[in-house]
Amino acid sequence: MDKKRTEDIYNYLTSFMGEIDFPLEAQKAILDSLKTIIENATASEAFFAPIERYESGEIDKLLPYIFKEKNSPLKRVKELTAVHEYTLDILLYLCATPALEKRYENKGLSRELFVSAMRDLKCKLIECKKVYDVWGSFVAFWFDGWFDMTRYALGRLQFEIKKMFTFFFCGGKFIYPGKRFLNLHIPSSGALNHDEVLASYKQAYEFFAPQFKEKEILFVTMSWLLFKEHKKMLPAESNVVKFMNDFKIVLNFKDPKNGDFWRVFNKNYDKKLTDFGAQTTMQKAYEKHIRKGKKMGGAIGAFIYDGETFKK
Ligand SMILES: CC(C)(COP(=O)(O)OP(=O)(O)OC[C@H]1O[C@@H](n2cnc3c(N)ncnc32)[C@H](O)[C@@H]1OP(=O)(O)O)[C@@H](O)C(=O)NCCC(=O)NCCS
């Protein structure tokens, strides 16, 4: 990619990161890193090659280029610039945002929808800062859903069409492998206000209904937030419990590795941990739970919705 184009992207990001609410300190750290890359001709060539391919429409996915992938060019960029791999990963996607904005425009989708999707980068940025003290992202494998435009941020929640892999009953209907459904995700963008959640289901229904033959759409989520113990840990009026109550639980699971520990304590689980630093009701409840030798877990939940009525 020529230097002029890389500078255009740099200039775009100087305002766009503010628009998606990146803290000023993060904006500065990320722009400094980008400048270091641009100023090193070899690093710049390696870093921007996938962005150029994404811009031209030759590729839709950047996943093969993220740092942890075997032959990622970002490994060479890190050697040349010493920019942290989590910063490189978020930068890779940030540099593709001008091209994604055009893709939204070409599809006749609003700029607001594009900006809502990109606010997810801010959630991942803050999580990375809290857990690793780095302005970047440690979950770059997740971002392609935004950039290949299969996932959309619609109000409080995020949605994409998926195909079911198992059998179960929901809302009086038999669900089978291969059935198309709306998979939903819950970003860490603030409290999970239940009215906003309901509005988001409706917004998603209206957005995706033209892509379904049936009027009643199956909504599914797989999340630690549906962990059945939460009903004992949290008050009935808590947002998490209200959210749980929206779903029929079709499968509960335990996670022997406590892989979602960081989502509660902003650090990875370590069985030698002595100070949990618990402050909130949920943290205190999980500290008790884990100290008793119990594991974290989650569930797959589902409901059927026709834009007006819910069935479980
Ligand atoms: C989903 C989420 C927004 C819910 O937060 P909420 O709206 O505050 O939820 P509740 O009303 O049920 O909270 C009840 C209590 O638990 C605390 N709590 C809830 N989620 C918490 C979390 N992830 N970490 C620490 N404490 C949490 C709240 O602060 C509150 O405690 P308090 O009464 O002492 O203030 C929050 O858990 C979150 O941001 N999670 C990260 C995103 C995520 O996990 N997505 C799913 C991925 S599969």
Side-chain angles (χ1 to χ4, degrees):
M1 184 179 274
D2 66 43
K3 191 139 195 259
K4 164 83 178 58
R5 179 71 198 125
T6 62
E7 282 164 3
D8 285 349
I9 292 176
Y10 180 97
N11 290 334
Y12 176 96
L13 291 180
T14 56
S15 61
F16 187 63
M17 284 194 288
E19 195 176 349
I20 55 173
D21 302 326
F22 276 30
L24 283 174
E25 186 193 311
Q27 294 184 36
K28 180 170 176 342
I30 289 170
L31 287 173
D32 285 351
S33 297
L34 184 57
K35 195 152 181 266
T36 307
I37 297 167
I38 291 174
E39 282 170 358
N40 180 313
T42 314
S44 183
E45 177 58 27
F47 181 82
F48 283 102
I51 308 295
E52 196 164 17
R53 298 182 71 205
Y54 181 80
E55 282 195 348
S56 71
E58 194 185 333
I59 57 170
D60 291 330
K61 296 184 194 299
L62 292 168
L63 182 72
Y65 302 92
I66 70 172
F67 188 87
K68 77 172 182 43
E69 292 295 311
K70 200 163 164 245
N71 296 315
S72 168
L74 297 189
K75 292 192 167 48
R76 183 82 183 111
V77 179
K78 184 178 172 180
E79 283 166 14
L80 292 164
T81 61
V83 172
H84 194 284
E85 61 211 64
Y86 295 154
T87 310
L88 289 175
D89 273 351
I90 206 161
L91 258 175
L92 181 74
Y93 283 92
L94 279 169
C95 287
T97 53
L100 180 61
E101 182 177 349
K102 287 212 180 77
R103 288 185 183 206
Y104 267 73
E105 203 180 311
N106 293 341
K107 277 201 168 190
L109 295 169
S110 72
R111 186 161 190 286
E112 190 194 338
L113 204 58
F114 159 71
V115 174
S116 299
M118 294 299 92
R119 286 191 206 283
D120 183 70
L121 296 176
K122 191 246 175 151
C123 297
K124 303 301 182 249
L125 173 90
I126 300 295
E127 288 166 6
C128 187
K129 181 66 178 168
K130 285 183 178 167
V131 179
Y132 293 104
D133 197 21
V134 174
W135 291 118
S137 171
F138 61 99
V139 293
F141 58 83
W142 152 262
F143 291 145
D144 265 355
W146 303 120
F147 286 79
D148 66 12
M149 297 185 71
T150 49
R151 191 189 306 126
Y152 291 89
L154 299 160
R156 180 64 184 81
L157 306 172
Q158 306 166 339
F159 302 84
E160 72 222 331
I161 296 178
K162 290 257 177 191
K163 283 188 181 162
M164 187 38 69
F165 55 89
T166 188
F167 300 97
F168 59 92
F169 267 98
C170 182
K173 280 202 160 52
F174 181 58
I175 311 299
Y176 49 85
K179 182 169 175 64
R180 291 167 79 245
F181 67 91
L182 271 189
N183 193 33
L184 70 92
H185 303 277
I186 312 94
S188 57
S189 52
L192 194 62
N193 177 289
H194 198 246
D195 288 336
E196 286 178 28
V197 166
L198 294 175
S200 181
Y201 297 149
K202 193 163 178 72
Q203 201 180 332
Y205 181 86
E206 282 159 10
F207 184 83
F208 282 103
Q211 296 180 58
F212 283 84
K213 282 197 287 275
E214 64 272 29
K215 188 167 183 292
E216 296 189 320
I217 299 179
L218 175 70
F219 284 60
V220 176
T221 195
M222 180 172 106
S223 177
W224 72 278
L225 289 172
L226 300 189
F227 186 41
K228 62 179 177 193
E229 298 288 319
H230 286 165
K231 293 201 177 173
K232 292 183 210 153
M233 291 175 163
L234 298 171
E237 70 280 4
S238 85
N239 290 330
V240 169
V241 172
K242 283 189 205 155
F243 177 68
M244 292 173 82
N245 288 337
D246 290 345
F247 296 86
K248 169 173 183 164
I249 299 304
V250 294
L251 181 85
N252 281 297
F253 55 85
K254 287 216 172 99
D255 175 11
K257 292 190 172 153
N258 291 338
D260 287 307
F261 186 88
W262 66 271
R263 295 186 195 273
V264 181
F265 292 99
N266 299 314
K267 52 189 159 208
N268 288 315
Y269 179 64
D270 175 353
K271 61 178 185 299
K272 291 188 223 109
L273 191 73
T274 49
D275 181 12
F276 283 64
Q279 303 280 333
T280 71
T281 306
M282 182 185 273
Q283 287 170 335
K284 287 176 194 159
Y286 264 112
E287 176 169 2
K288 258 196 212 157
H289 180 84
I290 291 170
R291 283 197 193 282
K292 278 187 202 152
K294 294 188 185 173
K295 297 294 171 201
M296 295 180 75
I300 297 179
F303 61 80
I304 283 175
Y305 182 47
D306 64 4
E308 297 297 332
T309 316
F310 295 91
K311 288 189 203 158
K312 288 203 275 182

